Amino acid sequence: MRRRWTGLMTAACLVVTAAPSLAVAAPAAHTGQQRPVAASDEATDYCRGQCHDILPPGANGSATAAQIILNKLTGAKPKHTDDQLGKYADLVDEYAGLTNGKLSTFFNDASFGVPDDQVESRKNPGGRKDVTITRDKTGIPHIKGTTRAGTEYGAGYAAGQDRLWMMDVFRHIGRGRLTSFAGGAEGNRQLEQQFYLGGAYKESELQAQVDRVRDSGPRGRQAYEDVTAYLAGLNRYIDDAKKGLYFPGEYDLTGNADILTGEGIEPFKATDLVAIGTVISALFGSGGGDQVAAALVKQAAERKYGKEKGEKVYEAFRMQNDPEADLTLHDGQRFDYAASPEHPRGVAMPDEGSVTEQQVVYDPTGSAAQGEAAKRAAGKPAAGTGDAGRAAKEQAATSDANLRHKPELAEAKDTLADGVLPKDLFARKHGMSNALVVSGKHTDTGNPVAVFGPQTGYFAPQLLMLQEIQGPGLSARGAAFAGLNLYVQLGRGKDYAWSATSANQNMTDTYAVELCNTDGSPATKDSTAYLFHGTCTPMEKLVRENAWRPTIADGTKAGSYKLVAHRTKYGVVRYRATIDGKPVAYTTLRSTYQHEVDTLIGFQMFNDPDAVTGPESFQKAASQIGYTFNWFYADAQHTAYYNSGLNPTRAQGVDPNLPILASEETEWRGWDPGTNTVPNTPFAAHPHDIDQDYYESWNNKIAGGYTVAGFGDGPVYRSNLLDDRIKAQISDGKKVSRASLTRAMEDAAVTDLRGEAVLPLLLKVIDTEKVTDPEQKEAVDSLRGWLEDGAKRKQTGPGSKTYAHAGAIRLMDAWWPLLVEDEFRPNLGTGLYDALTRALQIDETPSTPGDGVGHKGSAFQQGWWSYVHKDLRAVLGEKVPGAAPVKFCGAGDVAQCRQTLLNALEKAAQTPAEKTYPGDDVCKPGDQWCADSIQQRPLGGITDDLTHWQNRPTYQQVVQFPDHR
């Protein structure tokens, strides 16, 4: 269990005395207020008070060591640490009565500028007269410059003020050096190991990305100048913080800075921003790369059912282009891309049982070694050798010295012992954002309405930061990833707003490269050379040596290891196998690898009011972004959509959904292997649209023919919750308002997808006969009552921390995994069933027990909802487009299927709540509400309260522009 912090006020007083200038304030109460009279220097704003946004927990993401300790002792927090959390959380209980006038109760006023009576502070960073950072009463920075360089200098300075520690964490993750920086906790080790195979770079390659953008034309040169000014501001803040001793306390606790001088905090350089960008790309902007998992499913299906029938079973579960899938572009638009050809060539199917994962950890010592490796390493130094070992020793010594100077730091012992981020952050999909955009012809004022935002997880501080930036060629307010906030990435301009959801189309292919040995000897699966264009070519080894020793923040025993990525021209090796007995390596080739920085140009254009003047110019800007996103736009007259991503053109006949035999004939068309440069498909080939009646997206299928990269995108998808509610508002003749669209979003945010979309079919099968068993009838009646009440996961009243229909919700949570297994495993067989569950998890409840990313808010994205839905309809004798050639539940017999479901329900009813909701470091076993609740995962020393579960974007805008330029 995580240590529960208690303490004496006398100790707290000692801490405050140690840093008398560091104010700590309780969260400010939030009230619904109309916008006061604008300040005289406010930029032109066409939203007229009708733009709102929210980003919990708060603008301030920095705390000194003194503030961290005080938080541990008393719960007090630095000002603006969590004053947006209450607004965000309270919408759950109040959305039913929401009106336009009450939006400001739950959202910030996102108008440009700061009214005079809302100004909290003003600062000219670095003493510069060409930029002012004005902070409002929520602590949000409004950066206004008279020169562009000054404006970007201010953006860098503000980033340092609000997110310095977090930015430092991410530049180290991006280089595969998290453990050497933040400690050897198991979570940190797993995190950097998962990331390293997808983001391994040489330092010169990071610099090459910067140079390439600089030399790419006028906008590239401007981006380079913006980065230079931004870094100057950020590094000036670091200097100021060190001189004033108000730098983040996590540096003291980890031994990365001397508590008396701040020495040890390294200045930032342009390549650090590239490293941060690679992390964000890996989390939110990449699609594809899972072709080996798909191959294993196909292989298992053909082994079970034979080649012809097995192929059809595979296709039914793969759902590349399911005819029943919910489409964001739903007016018949078609954009054919990345579908499997009818007669593919160059498919690289592995020999059965031959696939093994590529080793990434080498030479473990100390706490990094386990089992036999620990025995072999017993006589080796426990904290590495060379530079990494020396750095770990110095870091530990600094931590010890800091503790001697400030013994009260012991109160923050093991603050980061669980790791700074969820340990499987990169192992799971992160396409969690949503968007609801309605055309003006269906709204109350005739102007479009948008409620949209990204789901980037819940952290303290947030990965995103809120800001306004005003200067020559820059006019925007919104959210940006800290360290990349030289431009607003999601937000609003003068007379338009934009947002994104992860699109996840396939732009990462898996190649099978034939292994060889340069000395001519026979190759094995362990060989480290491969055939490239007929020549045996050594793989590059990209090596990181990490070492750590115990510190105040993380007491993990000393240890070390090397991370090794084996890189080919076709990407980094992820698996090894044999094909027809020949050893091969499976590599993943991502189109944006070595090109993350290119995306800066699109974001720069979003922030330029001269570049974005309407929907067409917005789409042009979005087309410059290489990451896979769905982009949404709204102004006073129009709405628009564009799908971004660096989509490669495949060779004719190649199947991008399965591994590909590497050869010149199967490579991407126009691909330069030296720089991994490939032309994008044309603008018109990307899904795009203007003024559709409405757009909705929750990472669902985009358009007809636009193949999804993963499994399970069929008739039941999370986006159905949005689509049904928007349709209801439009079809009943009422006009959509900002408040009504927000209500639709929030109603979906507290609804169980399985309950609303699949439970009716489960009950339909059960209702084919009368339920006579009293216990089964009680369970069925409980579920029916929950369904009739909307299948919500919502507490009985504000603060009750108890769900209405708690028993039915517990039943569903326990029943779903049991019914799925009992429905499918008998006919699929263990081999195929296991392969499918590796390709697509069965369930994703809010509590998601056991997956290491609990309390994350986002739920019901990945699961077997569509499989169950199609199969039950088939068993009931309904016509099911895209159905499998096999009926699974009860082998197709309704009576047997019914009994299967009831048997599983009976098991669920007997499952203790403690098993369904296992305890963790913040919840007791069996506490349903707590298990579901959202935790702002601490990235540092400050912790926040748990809040009610809601399936909602982290940063969210509610906008309706009444006017346009």
Side-chain angles (χ1 to χ4, degrees), residues 306-345:
K307 186 169 181 61
E308 184 176 345
K309 189 175 181 180
E311 172 72 20
K312 292 179 179 178
V313 169
Y314 163 73
E315 290 175 353
F317 281 91
R318 177 61 178 79
M319 292 182 169
Q320 287 186 33
N321 283 290
D322 188 81
E324 299 184 304
D326 177 42
L327 305 177
T328 296
L329 302 187
H330 55 249
D331 279 352
Q333 305 95 320
R334 189 171 184 87
F335 297 88
D336 291 310
Y337 183 71
S340 296
E342 188 173 353
H343 301 291
R345 63 188 179 93

Short mmCIF file of all heavy atoms in Angstrom, two decimals, residues 306-345:
data_model
loop_
_atom_site.label_atom_id
_atom_site.label_comp_id
_atom_site.label_asym_id
_atom_site.label_seq_id
_atom_site.Cartn_x
_atom_site.Cartn_y
_atom_site.Cartn_z
N GLY A 306 -9.59 -24.98 -41.13
CA GLY A 306 -9.17 -25.19 -42.50
C GLY A 306 -8.97 -23.85 -43.19
O GLY A 306 -9.46 -22.81 -42.74
N LYS A 307 -8.26 -23.88 -44.31
CA LYS A 307 -7.83 -22.63 -44.93
C LYS A 307 -9.00 -21.75 -45.37
O LYS A 307 -9.05 -20.57 -45.04
CB LYS A 307 -6.92 -22.93 -46.13
CG LYS A 307 -6.31 -21.66 -46.72
CD LYS A 307 -5.23 -22.00 -47.71
CE LYS A 307 -4.60 -20.74 -48.30
NZ LYS A 307 -3.97 -19.89 -47.28
N GLU A 308 -9.96 -22.30 -46.10
CA GLU A 308 -11.03 -21.48 -46.65
C GLU A 308 -11.95 -20.93 -45.56
O GLU A 308 -12.20 -19.73 -45.48
CB GLU A 308 -11.84 -22.28 -47.67
CG GLU A 308 -12.92 -21.46 -48.36
CD GLU A 308 -13.65 -22.24 -49.44
OE1 GLU A 308 -13.14 -23.31 -49.85
OE2 GLU A 308 -14.73 -21.80 -49.86
N LYS A 309 -12.45 -21.81 -44.72
CA LYS A 309 -13.35 -21.37 -43.65
C LYS A 309 -12.59 -20.55 -42.61
O LYS A 309 -13.11 -19.56 -42.07
CB LYS A 309 -14.00 -22.58 -42.99
CG LYS A 309 -15.12 -22.23 -42.01
CD LYS A 309 -15.79 -23.50 -41.50
CE LYS A 309 -16.92 -23.18 -40.54
NZ LYS A 309 -17.59 -24.42 -40.04
N GLY A 310 -11.35 -20.95 -42.33
CA GLY A 310 -10.53 -20.21 -41.37
C GLY A 310 -10.29 -18.78 -41.81
O GLY A 310 -10.28 -17.85 -40.99
N GLU A 311 -10.09 -18.59 -43.12
CA GLU A 311 -9.90 -17.24 -43.64
C GLU A 311 -11.14 -16.38 -43.38
O GLU A 311 -11.04 -15.22 -42.98
CB GLU A 311 -9.62 -17.31 -45.14
CG GLU A 311 -9.60 -15.96 -45.86
CD GLU A 311 -8.39 -15.12 -45.54
OE1 GLU A 311 -7.38 -15.70 -45.07
OE2 GLU A 311 -8.44 -13.90 -45.75
N LYS A 312 -12.33 -16.97 -43.55
CA LYS A 312 -13.56 -16.22 -43.32
C LYS A 312 -13.76 -15.91 -41.84
O LYS A 312 -14.25 -14.84 -41.49
CB LYS A 312 -14.75 -17.01 -43.87
CG LYS A 312 -14.76 -17.12 -45.39
CD LYS A 312 -15.95 -17.93 -45.90
CE LYS A 312 -15.94 -18.00 -47.42
NZ LYS A 312 -17.07 -18.82 -47.94
N VAL A 313 -13.40 -16.85 -40.98
CA VAL A 313 -13.48 -16.59 -39.54
C VAL A 313 -12.53 -15.47 -39.16
O VAL A 313 -12.90 -14.55 -38.41
CB VAL A 313 -13.16 -17.87 -38.74
CG1 VAL A 313 -12.98 -17.55 -37.26
CG2 VAL A 313 -14.25 -18.91 -38.94
N TYR A 314 -11.32 -15.53 -39.69
CA TYR A 314 -10.34 -14.47 -39.42
C TYR A 314 -10.89 -13.11 -39.87
O TYR A 314 -10.83 -12.12 -39.13
CB TYR A 314 -9.03 -14.78 -40.13
CG TYR A 314 -8.11 -13.58 -40.27
CD1 TYR A 314 -7.42 -13.08 -39.18
CD2 TYR A 314 -7.94 -12.95 -41.51
CE1 TYR A 314 -6.59 -11.97 -39.29
CE2 TYR A 314 -7.12 -11.85 -41.64
CZ TYR A 314 -6.44 -11.36 -40.53
OH TYR A 314 -5.62 -10.26 -40.66
N GLU A 315 -11.43 -13.04 -41.07
CA GLU A 315 -11.94 -11.77 -41.59
C GLU A 315 -13.09 -11.24 -40.74
O GLU A 315 -13.21 -10.03 -40.52
CB GLU A 315 -12.40 -11.96 -43.04
CG GLU A 315 -11.26 -12.17 -44.02
CD GLU A 315 -11.76 -12.48 -45.42
OE1 GLU A 315 -13.00 -12.66 -45.60
OE2 GLU A 315 -10.93 -12.56 -46.34
N ALA A 316 -13.93 -12.15 -40.23
CA ALA A 316 -15.06 -11.72 -39.41
C ALA A 316 -14.60 -11.09 -38.10
O ALA A 316 -15.20 -10.13 -37.62
CB ALA A 316 -15.99 -12.91 -39.14
N PHE A 317 -13.55 -11.63 -37.52
CA PHE A 317 -13.03 -11.07 -36.27
C PHE A 317 -12.13 -9.86 -36.53
O PHE A 317 -12.09 -8.94 -35.71
CB PHE A 317 -12.28 -12.14 -35.47
CG PHE A 317 -13.17 -13.07 -34.72
CD1 PHE A 317 -13.62 -14.26 -35.29
CD2 PHE A 317 -13.59 -12.77 -33.43
CE1 PHE A 317 -14.45 -15.12 -34.60
CE2 PHE A 317 -14.42 -13.62 -32.73
CZ PHE A 317 -14.86 -14.81 -33.32
N ARG A 318 -11.44 -9.85 -37.63
CA ARG A 318 -10.55 -8.73 -37.94
C ARG A 318 -11.35 -7.45 -38.19
O ARG A 318 -10.95 -6.37 -37.79
CB ARG A 318 -9.70 -9.08 -39.17
CG ARG A 318 -8.78 -8.01 -39.67
CD ARG A 318 -7.73 -7.59 -38.64
NE ARG A 318 -6.85 -6.58 -39.19
CZ ARG A 318 -7.16 -5.29 -39.31
NH1 ARG A 318 -8.33 -4.85 -38.89
NH2 ARG A 318 -6.31 -4.44 -39.85
N MET A 319 -12.50 -7.54 -38.88
CA MET A 319 -13.40 -6.39 -39.10
C MET A 319 -12.68 -5.20 -39.71
O MET A 319 -12.80 -4.07 -39.23
CB MET A 319 -14.09 -5.97 -37.79
CG MET A 319 -15.08 -6.99 -37.27
SD MET A 319 -15.91 -6.45 -35.75
CE MET A 319 -17.20 -7.68 -35.63
N GLN A 320 -11.94 -5.43 -40.79
CA GLN A 320 -11.24 -4.33 -41.45
C GLN A 320 -12.20 -3.25 -41.95
O GLN A 320 -11.94 -2.06 -41.80
CB GLN A 320 -10.47 -4.86 -42.67
CG GLN A 320 -9.24 -5.66 -42.36
CD GLN A 320 -8.49 -6.02 -43.63
OE1 GLN A 320 -8.47 -5.25 -44.59
NE2 GLN A 320 -7.86 -7.18 -43.64
N ASN A 321 -13.28 -3.69 -42.57
CA ASN A 321 -14.27 -2.76 -43.11
C ASN A 321 -15.66 -3.33 -42.86
O ASN A 321 -16.40 -3.67 -43.79
CB ASN A 321 -14.04 -2.54 -44.62
CG ASN A 321 -12.87 -1.62 -44.90
OD1 ASN A 321 -12.93 -0.42 -44.66
ND2 ASN A 321 -11.78 -2.19 -45.40
N ASP A 322 -16.01 -3.44 -41.58
CA ASP A 322 -17.28 -4.04 -41.23
C ASP A 322 -18.44 -3.17 -41.73
O ASP A 322 -18.45 -1.95 -41.53
CB ASP A 322 -17.39 -4.19 -39.71
CG ASP A 322 -18.61 -4.99 -39.31
OD1 ASP A 322 -18.55 -6.22 -39.38
OD2 ASP A 322 -19.64 -4.37 -38.98
N PRO A 323 -19.41 -3.77 -42.42
CA PRO A 323 -20.50 -2.97 -42.99
C PRO A 323 -21.39 -2.30 -41.96
O PRO A 323 -22.17 -1.40 -42.30
CB PRO A 323 -21.28 -4.00 -43.82
CG PRO A 323 -20.94 -5.33 -43.22
CD PRO A 323 -19.53 -5.20 -42.74
N GLU A 324 -21.31 -2.73 -40.70
CA GLU A 324 -22.15 -2.15 -39.65
C GLU A 324 -21.42 -1.15 -38.78
O GLU A 324 -22.00 -0.61 -37.82
CB GLU A 324 -22.72 -3.26 -38.77
CG GLU A 324 -23.60 -4.25 -39.51
CD GLU A 324 -24.21 -5.27 -38.59
OE1 GLU A 324 -23.44 -5.95 -37.88
OE2 GLU A 324 -25.44 -5.39 -38.57
N ALA A 325 -20.16 -0.88 -39.06
CA ALA A 325 -19.37 0.01 -38.21
C ALA A 325 -19.90 1.45 -38.27
O ALA A 325 -20.33 1.93 -39.32
CB ALA A 325 -17.91 -0.02 -38.65
N ASP A 326 -19.85 2.12 -37.13
CA ASP A 326 -20.23 3.53 -37.06
C ASP A 326 -19.16 4.36 -37.76
O ASP A 326 -17.96 4.21 -37.49
CB ASP A 326 -20.34 3.96 -35.59
CG ASP A 326 -20.65 5.42 -35.45
OD1 ASP A 326 -21.48 5.94 -36.21
OD2 ASP A 326 -20.04 6.07 -34.55
N LEU A 327 -19.56 5.25 -38.67
CA LEU A 327 -18.64 6.04 -39.47
C LEU A 327 -18.72 7.51 -39.10
O LEU A 327 -19.81 8.07 -38.98
CB LEU A 327 -18.97 5.90 -40.96
CG LEU A 327 -19.01 4.48 -41.53
CD1 LEU A 327 -19.43 4.52 -43.00
CD2 LEU A 327 -17.67 3.80 -41.37
N THR A 328 -17.57 8.14 -38.96
CA THR A 328 -17.56 9.59 -38.73
C THR A 328 -18.07 10.33 -39.96
O THR A 328 -18.86 11.27 -39.85
CB THR A 328 -16.13 10.05 -38.38
OG1 THR A 328 -15.75 9.45 -37.13
CG2 THR A 328 -16.07 11.57 -38.24
N LEU A 329 -17.64 9.92 -41.15
CA LEU A 329 -18.16 10.48 -42.40
C LEU A 329 -19.25 9.54 -42.89
O LEU A 329 -18.98 8.51 -43.49
CB LEU A 329 -17.04 10.62 -43.43
CG LEU A 329 -15.85 11.50 -43.02
CD1 LEU A 329 -14.91 11.71 -44.18
CD2 LEU A 329 -16.32 12.85 -42.48
N HIS A 330 -20.51 9.92 -42.61
CA HIS A 330 -21.62 8.99 -42.76
C HIS A 330 -22.55 9.32 -43.92
O HIS A 330 -23.66 8.79 -44.01
CB HIS A 330 -22.44 8.95 -41.46
CG HIS A 330 -22.93 10.30 -41.00
ND1 HIS A 330 -22.43 10.90 -39.86
CD2 HIS A 330 -23.83 11.17 -41.52
CE1 HIS A 330 -23.02 12.08 -39.69
NE2 HIS A 330 -23.89 12.25 -40.69
N ASP A 331 -22.14 10.19 -44.83
CA ASP A 331 -22.98 10.56 -45.96
C ASP A 331 -22.59 9.82 -47.24
O ASP A 331 -22.76 10.33 -48.34
CB ASP A 331 -22.91 12.07 -46.21
CG ASP A 331 -23.82 12.85 -45.26
OD1 ASP A 331 -24.59 12.19 -44.54
OD2 ASP A 331 -23.74 14.08 -45.23
N GLY A 332 -22.03 8.63 -47.09
CA GLY A 332 -21.69 7.83 -48.26
C GLY A 332 -20.30 8.09 -48.81
O GLY A 332 -19.92 7.51 -49.84
N GLN A 333 -19.51 8.95 -48.15
CA GLN A 333 -18.16 9.20 -48.63
C GLN A 333 -17.32 7.92 -48.56
O GLN A 333 -17.47 7.12 -47.64
CB GLN A 333 -17.47 10.29 -47.78
CG GLN A 333 -18.23 11.60 -47.67
CD GLN A 333 -19.08 11.68 -46.42
OE1 GLN A 333 -19.71 10.69 -46.04
NE2 GLN A 333 -19.12 12.84 -45.79
N ARG A 334 -16.44 7.74 -49.51
CA ARG A 334 -15.60 6.54 -49.53
C ARG A 334 -14.16 6.93 -49.81
O ARG A 334 -13.88 7.70 -50.74
CB ARG A 334 -16.09 5.54 -50.57
CG ARG A 334 -15.37 4.20 -50.48
CD ARG A 334 -15.99 3.13 -51.35
NE ARG A 334 -15.31 1.85 -51.14
CZ ARG A 334 -15.61 0.96 -50.21
NH1 ARG A 334 -16.63 1.19 -49.40
NH2 ARG A 334 -14.92 -0.16 -50.09
N PHE A 335 -13.26 6.40 -49.01
CA PHE A 335 -11.83 6.66 -49.17
C PHE A 335 -11.11 5.33 -48.98
O PHE A 335 -10.85 4.90 -47.86
CB PHE A 335 -11.34 7.69 -48.15
CG PHE A 335 -11.98 9.04 -48.29
CD1 PHE A 335 -13.17 9.33 -47.65
CD2 PHE A 335 -11.38 10.02 -49.07
CE1 PHE A 335 -13.76 10.59 -47.77
CE2 PHE A 335 -11.96 11.27 -49.20
CZ PHE A 335 -13.16 11.56 -48.55
N ASP A 336 -10.82 4.66 -50.06
CA ASP A 336 -10.21 3.34 -49.98
C ASP A 336 -8.74 3.45 -49.62
O ASP A 336 -7.97 4.14 -50.29
CB ASP A 336 -10.37 2.60 -51.31
CG ASP A 336 -11.82 2.23 -51.58
OD1 ASP A 336 -12.45 1.65 -50.69
OD2 ASP A 336 -12.32 2.55 -52.69
N TYR A 337 -8.37 2.75 -48.55
CA TYR A 337 -6.96 2.77 -48.12
C TYR A 337 -6.68 1.56 -47.23
O TYR A 337 -7.44 1.25 -46.31
CB TYR A 337 -6.63 4.05 -47.36
CG TYR A 337 -5.18 4.16 -46.97
CD1 TYR A 337 -4.19 4.38 -47.93
CD2 TYR A 337 -4.78 3.99 -45.65
CE1 TYR A 337 -2.85 4.46 -47.58
CE2 TYR A 337 -3.44 4.07 -45.29
CZ TYR A 337 -2.48 4.30 -46.26
OH TYR A 337 -1.16 4.36 -45.92
N ALA A 338 -5.56 0.91 -47.50
CA ALA A 338 -4.93 -0.10 -46.63
C ALA A 338 -5.76 -1.36 -46.43
O ALA A 338 -5.57 -2.07 -45.45
CB ALA A 338 -4.57 0.52 -45.27
N ALA A 339 -6.68 -1.66 -47.32
CA ALA A 339 -7.42 -2.91 -47.21
C ALA A 339 -6.58 -4.08 -47.73
O ALA A 339 -5.70 -3.91 -48.58
CB ALA A 339 -8.72 -2.82 -48.00
N SER A 340 -6.86 -5.27 -47.24
CA SER A 340 -6.15 -6.46 -47.71
C SER A 340 -6.61 -6.79 -49.13
O SER A 340 -7.82 -6.85 -49.39
CB SER A 340 -6.44 -7.65 -46.79
OG SER A 340 -5.94 -7.41 -45.50
N PRO A 341 -5.68 -7.00 -50.07
CA PRO A 341 -6.08 -7.36 -51.44
C PRO A 341 -6.63 -8.77 -51.48
O PRO A 341 -6.36 -9.59 -50.59
CB PRO A 341 -4.77 -7.24 -52.23
CG PRO A 341 -3.70 -7.46 -51.21
CD PRO A 341 -4.23 -6.89 -49.92
N GLU A 342 -7.37 -9.06 -52.52
CA GLU A 342 -7.98 -10.38 -52.64
C GLU A 342 -6.94 -11.48 -52.79
O GLU A 342 -7.08 -12.57 -52.23
CB GLU A 342 -8.94 -10.40 -53.83
CG GLU A 342 -9.77 -11.67 -53.90
CD GLU A 342 -10.83 -11.61 -54.99
OE1 GLU A 342 -11.00 -10.51 -55.59
OE2 GLU A 342 -11.50 -12.64 -55.25
N HIS A 343 -5.89 -11.20 -53.54
CA HIS A 343 -4.83 -12.20 -53.74
C HIS A 343 -3.49 -11.55 -53.37
O HIS A 343 -2.73 -11.11 -54.24
CB HIS A 343 -4.81 -12.70 -55.18
CG HIS A 343 -6.11 -13.32 -55.61
ND1 HIS A 343 -6.56 -14.52 -55.11
CD2 HIS A 343 -7.07 -12.89 -56.49
CE1 HIS A 343 -7.72 -14.82 -55.65
NE2 HIS A 343 -8.05 -13.85 -56.50
N PRO A 344 -3.18 -11.48 -52.08
CA PRO A 344 -1.96 -10.78 -51.66
C PRO A 344 -0.70 -11.53 -52.04
O PRO A 344 -0.69 -12.76 -52.19
CB PRO A 344 -2.12 -10.72 -50.14
CG PRO A 344 -2.98 -11.88 -49.80
CD PRO A 344 -3.93 -12.02 -50.95
N ARG A 345 0.37 -10.77 -52.19
CA ARG A 345 1.68 -11.37 -52.44
C ARG A 345 2.63 -10.92 -51.35
O ARG A 345 2.47 -9.87 -50.74
CB ARG A 345 2.22 -10.94 -53.81
CG ARG A 345 2.49 -9.46 -53.96
CD ARG A 345 2.84 -9.11 -55.40
NE ARG A 345 3.09 -7.68 -55.58
CZ ARG A 345 4.29 -7.11 -55.52
NH1 ARG A 345 5.36 -7.86 -55.26
NH2 ARG A 345 4.44 -5.81 -55.70
#
